[in-house]
Amino acid sequence: MSYYVVQGGQTLRGSVPISGAKNSVLPILAATLLNGGRNVLHNCPDLRDVRSAIQILEHLGCKVSREGDTVTVDSTVVDRWDVPHELMREMRSSVIFLGPILARCGRARLSLPGGCDIGQRPIDLHLSALRKLGTVIREQGGDILCEASDLQGRDIILSFPSVGATENTLLTATACSGVTRIINAAREPEIADLQEFLRKAGALVSGGGESVITVSGTTPRRDVEHTILPDRIEAATFLCAAAACGGEVTLTGVEPEHVGTVIQCLRDGGCAVRSAGRTITLLAPQRLGSMPTVRTMPYPGFPTDSQAPLMAAACTAQGSALFIETIFENRFRHAAELQRMGADIRISGRTALVTGRALHGASVRSTDLRGGAALVVAALAAQGESRVEALTHIDRGYEHFAEKLTGLGAKIQRRDD
Ligand code: EPZ
């Protein structure tokens, strides 16, 4: 089992490149099924979840190759329409393949994605939207069997701006006859990136990144070359690490406006943050000050994925900070591990009250992807040595994490038992 050994107490200095966004490359890899041609994707991070998505594409019949951060998918041949159980279990967000498989093959078979560490993760909004577009869905022994012989576009109102449900509906709608409007769509930047990819393939889509997305059913058939947008959550994680450890850090290859709410919190905590073009520079105070209440919301609100890393920074700050997690029902699991490092965190349902104090090194275990990153942030800021275990969670969403931190002066080493 792999783990990190971290010697805390180092300030972070220097610049760090931000990789392509996991939550953009996954739906775009799924969307490569649509054009039955060649898709060249640049700025693709090499992550566990990306490798799982590539395995699914190869299982379906695609040819996939990687050269550095460029992944090429040839979807000329797609001769299967199921996602194997083990791959669904490996990555629950594989449900994003449902729409494109349906659009390409007219049918799809997936096992119901289970819950995960941060919540039940139901897909009722996905399934109800696809049914309204004409998909016949049966559940059988934990699998969902879908038939879509005659998809008709129509208005789909999402009761919650679910990212995945927006993406699955958008991808299915490309195969509908007529016009589909997705109302109360998710507005995350990854949706606009997916729309950009689809437009290059020839789809007629508009409104991506806004609350109403309009799709005129035309099967996209053009080859695509596309560059994945930068990972705003990785960027937020490094900003929280710099704020917690002190020092001056510049992120390169990033979209500052996608990290605005996190930057505002850190500015409130006394950090000087300036952005220019595709760089963000954060100059941390000697000790982070208290921050206002952090309430996670759908984009453009504060991102739930940045809640854990910011909580880690708040653990060493002056004063108290209140976190309200409104998106997932079980997204404070990292708190118990942070408490092992001396953190003062009081949980009550979906709120966590953090009172800053000095942290000490400890042996801790990642509970989920962003919770694991939070433990690394805290270990970097703690006095003494920490051991962070269960790195498979972190490997899902952070590329070259230890190397990037080492480049900023952190003392962190990956070891295998
Ligand atoms: C995406 O997950 C991201 N994953 C998550 O990032 C992110 O936390 C989340 O959006 C919110 O921003 C990817 O893009 C691969 P949702 P998704 O559907 O699509 C409920 C990370 O750390 N819901 O917007 O699954 C759901 O239970 C990951 O990178 C339903 O009730 O998120 C949750 O409470 C974690 N029914 C809320 O909506 C549904 O059918 C938000 O879920 C769908 C969702």
Side-chain angles (χ1 to χ4, degrees):
M1 177 188 68
S2 301
Y3 58 95
Y4 288 138
V5 176
V6 182
Q7 303 298 339
Q10 313 294 323
T11 55
L12 301 184
R13 290 192 186 291
S15 75
V16 59
I18 297 301
S19 301
K22 166 180 85 79
N23 293 346
S24 184
V25 71
L26 294 179
I28 286 177
L29 281 169
T32 61
L33 289 167
L34 295 176
N35 67 355
R38 182 175 159 77
N39 301 272
V40 179
L41 305 177
H42 300 299
N43 203 26
C44 269
D46 185 10
L47 303 168
R48 243 182 90 206
D49 276 4
V50 171
R51 284 177 231 135
S52 299
I54 289 172
Q55 278 182 286
I56 292 172
L57 288 170
E58 289 173 331
H59 168 81
L60 296 170
C62 297
K63 289 191 177 49
V64 186
S65 60
R66 176 187 277 272
E67 215 174 300
D69 73 1
T70 296
V71 168
T72 301
V73 180
D74 181 336
S75 61
T76 308
V77 173
V78 170
D79 49 17
R80 300 191 63 148
W81 42 276
D82 68 309
V83 177
H85 290 196
E86 61 278 8
L87 286 176
M88 280 303 292
R89 241 194 304 283
E90 166 70 17
M91 183 176 73
R92 62 161 311 284
S93 49
S94 308
V95 69
I96 193 53
F97 279 86
L98 174 56
I101 294 173
L102 261 184
R104 176 70 188 265
C105 306
R107 53 186 179 167
R109 179 186 189 125
L110 281 71
S111 53
L112 280 165
C116 72
D117 315 292
I118 60 177
Q120 282 305 310
R121 312 294 297 275
I123 59 168
D124 56 305
L125 300 178
H126 301 238
L127 301 184
S128 114
L130 268 51
R131 282 194 174 98
K132 289 189 177 87
L133 295 175
T135 307
V136 175
I137 301 174
R138 284 183 300 117
E139 293 193 22
Q140 188 185 65
D143 282 2
I144 40 177
L145 305 167
C146 304
E147 299 280 342
S149 48
D150 177 21
L151 292 170
Q152 297 289 330
R154 53 169 291 177
D155 280 3
I156 300 289
I157 299 174
L158 294 178
S159 59
F160 178 85
S162 152
V163 172
T166 299
E167 291 166 343
N168 251 330
T169 308
L170 168 53
L171 291 165
T172 305
T174 61
C176 289
S177 50
V179 175
T180 299
R181 289 198 312 159
I182 306 170
I183 297 157
N184 195 28
R187 297 165 54 191
E188 272 71 2
E190 291 76 29
I191 306 284
D193 204 28
L194 177 59
Q195 171 180 279
E196 192 51 36
F197 172 88
L198 291 171
R199 278 175 167 167
K200 288 176 182 173
L204 300 176
V205 192
S206 60
E210 294 155 31
S211 293
V212 178
I213 298 174
T214 304
V215 191
S216 303
T218 44
T219 310
R221 277 277 179 261
R222 286 207 295 259
D223 288 349
V224 181
E225 182 157 10
H226 184 76
T227 298
I228 301 293
L229 98 168
D231 194 319
R232 60 193 170 93
I233 307 301
E234 183 196 21
T237 305
F238 278 101
L239 291 174
C240 291
C245 297
E248 181 169 355
V249 168
T250 295
L251 311 186
T252 58
V254 66
E255 286 295 347
E257 67 175 278
H258 294 165
V259 207
T261 48
V262 177
I263 289 173
Q264 187 54 56
C265 290
L266 295 173
R267 277 185 175 137
D268 292 341
C271 296
V273 185
R274 64 177 188 279
S275 52
R278 288 166 62 86
T279 69
I280 301 173
T281 297
L282 180 142
L283 177 61
Q286 188 63 31
R287 186 178 174 200
L288 194 57
S290 61
M291 291 177 283
T293 296
V294 176
R295 182 190 302 273
T296 64
M297 293 293 280
Y299 195 90
F302 186 94
T304 174
D305 295 347
S306 299
Q307 174 256 109
L310 188 68
M311 183 182 289
C315 286
T316 62
Q318 295 163 20
S320 300
L322 187 66
F323 289 78
I324 305 170
E325 174 53 62
T326 72
I327 305 293
F328 290 106
E329 69 271 22
N330 191 26
R331 205 166 196 176
F332 287 144
R333 295 184 66 218
H334 46 282
E337 295 302 304
L338 291 169
Q339 286 164 342
R340 291 169 55 77
M341 302 170 104
D344 179 351
I345 306 173
R346 304 208 177 126
I347 307 278
S348 169
R350 290 200 180 208
T351 63
L353 178 63
V354 179
T355 304
R357 58 197 301 200
L359 299 184
H360 55 74
S363 181
V364 290
R365 167 175 283 271
S366 301
T367 52
D368 55 81
L369 165 55
R370 307 303 176 182
L375 297 181
V376 173
V377 169
L380 292 168
Q383 290 306 320
E385 180 172 290
S386 295
R387 176 181 160 125
V388 181
E389 298 182 344
L391 300 190
T392 50
H393 292 292
I394 297 176
D395 294 343
R396 288 188 43 218
Y398 290 91
E399 185 184 40
H400 309 318
F401 197 37
E403 294 83 346
K404 289 186 178 184
L405 287 166
T406 302
L408 294 173
K411 289 189 176 168
I412 177 170
Q413 275 188 337
R414 185 180 186 121
R415 294 203 190 135
D416 291 293
D417 255 349

